[in-house]
Amino acid sequence: NAGVTQTPKFQVLKTGQSMTLQCAQDMNHNSMYWYRQDPGMGLRLIYYSASEGTTDKGEVPNGYNVSRLNKREFSLRLESAAPSQTSVYFCASSEGNVGGRYTEAFFGQGTRLTVV
Amino acid sequence: AQSVSQHNHHVILSEAASLELGCNYSYGGTVNLFWYVQYPGQHLQLLLKYFSGDPLVKGIKGFEAEFIKSKFSFNLRKPSVQWSDTAEYFCAVKTGSARQLTFGSGTQLTVLP
């Protein structure tokens, strides 16, 4: 039972390079999320997709784009990486709102990205 | 907008000490509340959650949390911590019509053997 799978686990980029972080979930969840984690700032939402075919900006969307390829996959793209995007990135998925209750999010293992 | 505050940034305890980590949120309506734990080098895992009903919620590994609506709080407790509880703990809230969780800044717990 894989849950939420992210690739790659580690990446070093030069300023200005682009890359795509991949995320896939096998739990048939409707909602998927991308967070970044920085020391002392907790997790901040970059983008989310409440359901297949929809995406919305979160708290810190600048410099990122996302694609909800299908129900399973939700990718995050950095078009022109900057040192400020050095962070640990987590993908998560959840069933979303079920009967008025927000079901918990399940997280991937994270991608440690360094931009030099 | 929903927000969550965790005022303890780093807590250091000896084994067998009791633990209480603070979490306050800013919303007066219906809330769904969560505590997650992140062990070193690992992803976040759910400790416990509150939707409604009994305000005292029991989670995994002996953790519990109490929802106090009048104080907008959802503090995490454990009567006796172990070295293996060393981790970062995150409180999260989902309120009203919001479609995603908002996380607090986290509390790093270090348990000394």
Side-chain angles (χ1 to χ4, degrees):
Chain A
N1 187 1
V4 179
T5 304
Q6 287 182 238
T7 55
K9 288 187 169 51
F10 301 94
Q11 183 71 50
V12 178
L13 290 178
K14 294 182 179 178
T15 298
Q17 286 186 316
S18 63
M19 79 161 295
T20 299
L21 280 64
Q22 307 287 353
C23 176
Q25 51 93 7
D26 62 1
M27 295 173 282
N28 201 36
H29 285 164
N30 290 318
S31 302
M32 297 186 74
Y33 313 85
W34 277 105
Y35 288 90
R36 60 177 289 172
Q37 183 181 26
D38 302 290
M41 304 189 76
L43 277 81
R44 293 180 293 168
L45 184 66
I46 304 171
Y47 270 93
Y48 67 100
S49 172
S51 61
E52 186 179 356
T54 68
T55 60
D56 288 285
K57 294 179 180 179
E59 183 183 355
V60 288
N62 291 346
Y64 306 95
N65 284 301
V66 291
S67 296
R68 183 74 182 266
L69 304 171
N70 47 56
K71 192 171 186 179
R72 289 187 64 249
E73 298 172 287
F74 187 41
S75 62
L76 177 72
R77 183 161 177 84
L78 287 70
E79 291 291 352
S80 179
S84 61
Q85 294 178 305
T86 293
S87 187
V88 181
Y89 291 85
F90 286 99
C91 178
S93 72
S94 76
E95 187 54 42
N97 277 310
V98 178
R101 295 184 172 187
Y102 182 86
T103 58
E104 69 265 28
F106 294 81
F107 285 81
Q109 295 284 349
T111 297
R112 186 172 296 275
L113 175 67
T114 302
V115 183
V116 298
Chain B
Q2 58 190 20
S3 67
V4 182
S5 296
Q6 292 181 247
H7 301 296
N8 309 108
H9 297 296
H10 195 181
V11 173
I12 302 174
L13 295 173
S14 297
E15 274 195 316
S18 63
L19 169 72
E20 182 161 2
L21 301 182
C23 172
N24 290 90
Y25 61 93
S26 60
Y27 186 76
T30 301
V31 292
N32 295 162
L33 295 158
F34 306 83
W35 275 98
Y36 282 83
V37 61
Q38 185 179 29
Y39 298 105
Q42 296 190 24
H43 64 292
L44 277 76
Q45 304 170 45
L46 183 70
L47 271 180
L48 48 80
K49 59 189 176 186
Y50 172 80
F51 294 131
S52 62
D54 188 345
L56 185 61
V57 180
K58 294 193 183 299
I60 61 171
K61 304 186 180 186
F63 286 91
E64 64 180 30
E66 185 174 13
F67 170 56
I68 303 179
K69 189 174 183 179
S70 60
K71 295 184 178 181
F72 299 91
S73 70
F74 190 57
N75 293 354
L76 182 71
R77 301 195 295 242
K78 186 171 184 178
S80 177
V81 295
Q82 300 172 315
W83 177 78
S84 58
D85 292 325
T86 294
E88 191 158 18
Y89 293 80
F90 294 92
C91 182
V93 64
K94 188 275 181 185
T95 64
S97 61
R99 292 191 288 175
Q100 71 285 344
L101 285 175
T102 297
F103 283 83
S105 57
T107 298
Q108 176 64 48
L109 171 66
T110 300
V111 180
L112 304 175

